[in-house]
Amino acid sequence: MQLSSKQKEYWNHANCRWNIKSGATRSGKTYLDYYIIPRRIRAVRGKEGLVVILGNTKGTLQRNIIEPLQKIFTPALVSDIRSDNTAMLFGEKCYCLGADRENQVDRIRGASIKYCYGDEVVTWHEGVFHMLKSRLDKPYSCFDGTCNPESPNHWFYKFLQSDADIYLQNYILDDNPFLSREFVENLKKEYRGTVLYDRYILGKWALAEGLIYKEFADNPKKFMIAKEDLPKQFDYIGIGHDFGGNKSNHAFVATGISFDNHVYKLRARSIQATGMSFHALEKELIDFVEGIIGDYGYPSGVYCDSAEQTMINSYRQHTTYPIYNSIKRPINDRIRCTLLLMGGERYHIVEGECDDLVRGLTTAVWDSQVLEDKRLDNGSSDIDILDADEYSFEYYIYRLVGNYDA
């Protein structure tokens, strides 16, 4: 295997109780672990304690860890994660568990752990990590983990600054010599002007503050496209729909995705929610969808805020449109997707058709009153239109910008 100088340093010197690689995306952090994991497991073979792999969810573990290990070492040495959340890795039974919720790891609570690998540690529930600290209780117990930086207020950053027995490496994107220069420059361009550049390019634990879509707010015209310049055909058309409350608006946004994965905001509309009946809102939906059908074709789906099941069921009874619940991916994943699309010049807005959405994107800010990254929600219509926009394409986040591999 070929290793960078940073990876060789970790291989030779990461011998603490906690061994952590933090830093930029695609900087080579996780690749090295495909060889660290079998080395650690073989070192504790036959000793008392469990082998555990923790990640955001069982699905991300299968995708990020198990499948790459299988490609290198074959399924004979690395099995899929089974229904009981275990896999056989290099002759050892290994528990593979999601760590996004505290109760996910109840089956290993109270057990001794001889080796644990941690994927995407900053996405874990803090209680899972505190449980893990008390379970690595053997003299030979150790942990390897990776993470991309988040806010310096994050609980894991505070742990990294503690006096625990930690071997910590910090990576920047340029630490990976095996990436093409073109890819590196494109990635830098996509993250430029956002807090994500500091985190995922420079590997810094940086605060999210001020305008979220600063580059857009500085020059909205850069993202505008004339209707006559749109692609002749779209691979996908989705309509996002958010329901407003007493002081906010109902919102609709139609998005077209081209075959080359550019995103086009075809039309957006925000309507005062106060005093509007279900019947009146249903008529507004029908008018909006029929307008999109007339101009662009039949939508793949209308994706509605899943909190309003009564209204969604009414839509299904009184229309023939494919009506779906939004899946409500984490808001920050939706924001990150939008930022990457903007940075990569793949986010376009039809001029004159999306004024409410333009206002929402221009005014969106991070909440300065909380410790974690959070979009400020002041109950205004600007938030409703942003949610509707994100619902319209969130099913295709991974297709559009990948899985943010570490």
Side-chain angles (χ1 to χ4, degrees), residues 179-328:
L179 298 175
S180 72
R181 181 45 49 187
E182 180 183 12
F183 174 83
V184 169
E185 292 307 316
N186 283 337
L187 201 60
K188 289 179 178 179
K189 178 182 176 183
E190 289 171 357
Y191 286 119
R192 183 183 58 214
T194 72
V195 67
L196 301 182
Y197 189 93
D198 289 339
R199 293 177 180 176
Y200 301 147
I201 303 298
L202 302 181
K204 295 180 179 180
W205 293 75
L207 282 171
E209 52 189 350
L211 291 169
I212 296 175
Y213 305 109
K214 186 177 185 304
E215 188 172 357
F216 181 91
D218 288 344
N219 186 15
K221 290 184 178 180
K222 171 184 173 183
F223 299 87
M224 299 301 159
I225 187 171
K227 190 173 181 180
E228 56 267 27
D229 293 330
L230 288 170
K232 301 301 181 187
Q233 186 178 1
F234 292 103
D235 187 39
Y236 160 88
I237 296 174
I239 294 173
H241 177 21
D242 191 53
F243 298 94
N246 290 332
K247 295 183 180 180
S248 57
N249 288 6
H250 302 302
F252 307 103
V253 176
T255 295
I257 300 178
S258 62
F259 290 92
D260 60 352
N261 286 335
H262 281 240
V263 167
Y264 298 84
K265 302 301 161 179
L266 305 175
R267 190 165 298 154
R269 189 171 180 209
S270 196
I271 310 161
Q272 178 62 47
T274 304
M276 179 172 281
S277 67
F278 274 13
H279 177 74
L281 178 56
E282 196 167 79
K283 184 177 185 305
E284 293 288 351
L285 170 73
I286 292 170
D287 288 347
F288 187 87
V289 176
E290 289 298 323
I292 294 300
I293 292 173
D295 286 349
Y296 301 106
Y298 208 78
S300 302
V302 179
Y303 302 92
C304 306
D305 183 346
S306 56
E308 293 290 346
Q309 289 301 307
T310 300
M311 198 67 221
I312 290 171
N313 288 334
S314 178
Y315 289 162
R316 288 171 175 158
Q317 291 170 11
H318 299 128
T319 73
T320 58
Y321 312 134
I323 306 290
Y324 302 110
N325 289 336
S326 65
I327 55 177
K328 287 193 173 180

Side-chain angles (χ1 to χ4, degrees), residues 213 216 220 224 251-255 263-270 338 342 347-350 353-364 375 381-390 392-393:
Y213 305 109
F216 181 91
M224 299 301 159
F252 307 103
V253 176
T255 295
V263 167
Y264 298 84
K265 302 301 161 179
L266 305 175
R267 190 165 298 154
R269 189 171 180 209
S270 196
T338 300
M342 288 179 173
Y347 189 97
H348 314 280
I349 296 178
V350 175
E353 295 279 5
C354 302
D355 291 346
D356 294 326
L357 176 59
V358 171
R359 185 180 65 250
L361 292 168
T362 303
T363 58
R375 182 165 65 197
S381 59
D382 294 341
I383 297 300
D384 300 317
I385 200 75
L386 293 176
D387 284 338
D389 174 34
E390 293 157 1
S392 71
F393 68 95

